[in-house]
Amino acid sequence: QSALTQPASVSGSPGQSITISCTGNDSDVGSYNLVSWYQQYPGKAPKFMIYEVSKRPSGVSNRFSGSKSGNTASLTISGLQAEDEANYYCCSYAGTITSLLFGGGTKLTVL
Amino acid sequence: QVHLVESGGGLVKPGGSLRLSCAASGFTFSDYYMNWIRQAPGKGLEWVSYISGSGFIIYYADSVKGRFTVSRDNAKNSLYLQVNSLRVEDTAVYYCVRGYNGEPYYGMDLWGQGTTVTVSS
């Protein structure tokens, strides 16, 4: 199955809000409320940011929020900070055969 | 402190094999599904495989099915990935990753630092 579709890059100024989309289909994002999001700095392991579409693990800033509509999930970062500049990946459960699909990743630049 | 530490990566020729290991500490290892996720140089994340806490439920990505074998030894708090018939396109950092809340589909909350596999002649 194909990877989920994310924009290659997004940018925003400090204090602004940005949204990163993650588009799948009826077999993955559209079928399950099991989308998660990860933040990755270059050369580092990813960090778990969002699970079950919109829930934040302990310790993750409430500036990060998730949502879903149909086959598209979204990650919104409000009050952008320089430290938010990183790559972001979505991931969706896609059933027992395909199991887990990642998006191609989005590079966030804080201007 | 909860920790995952991978080892076993290296440089191998096409067609070769390696055994990757992941040592877990700080949590009840047998309670958790565990995943292998890989990332090719300059590329995105790719799910490779997961295994249930008991070891009885295993799934693989199509790209590695028949060549990679995941296993675990709960007595040793260790996860393994036997990678055979390696191809140039298997070159990547391989991460050992814990399933959140013990399940494979909620998300992945604990990542190791990764071990690098390079396949080249």
Side-chain angles (χ1 to χ4, degrees), chain A residues 36 38 45-48 91 100 102, chain B residues 3-6 21-24 27 29 32-39 45-51 70 72 79 93-100 102-104 107-114:
Chain A
S36 52
Y38 304 85
K47 177 185 175 184
F48 185 45
C91 179
L100 294 168
F102 279 97
Chain B
H3 236 66
L4 295 170
V5 179
E6 302 94 335
S21 299
C22 170
F27 63 98
F29 182 66
Y32 289 84
Y33 270 80
M34 296 296 297
N35 298 269
W36 286 99
I37 307 294
R38 69 182 180 182
Q39 187 169 34
L45 301 170
E46 179 187 14
W47 172 76
V48 172
S49 178
Y50 68 60
I51 182 170
V70 64
R72 63 192 298 160
L79 176 72
V93 175
Y94 285 73
Y95 292 102
C96 166
V97 191
R98 188 178 75 173
Y100 182 64
E103 299 294 342
M108 291 162 278
D109 66 335
L110 180 64
W111 295 64
Q113 87 288 350

Side-chain angles (χ1 to χ4, degrees), chain A residues 1 34-36 38 40 44-48 50-52 57 89 91 93 95-100 102-104, chain B residues 35 37 39 43-47 50 59-62 65 95 100-101 104-114:
Chain A
Q1 218 177 10
L34 294 171
V35 175
S36 52
Y38 304 85
Q40 186 182 34
K44 301 295 187 182
K47 177 185 175 184
F48 185 45
I50 295 285
Y51 68 101
E52 289 186 76
Y89 294 91
C91 179
Y93 182 66
T96 55
I97 302 300
T98 306
S99 298
L100 294 168
F102 279 97
Chain B
N35 298 269
I37 307 294
Q39 187 169 34
K43 302 296 185 183
L45 301 170
E46 179 187 14
W47 172 76
Y50 68 60
Y59 285 98
Y60 299 97
D62 286 346
K65 208 171 290 183
Y95 292 102
Y100 182 64
N101 272 347
Y105 33 73
Y106 293 125
M108 291 162 278
D109 66 335
L110 180 64
W111 295 64
Q113 87 288 350

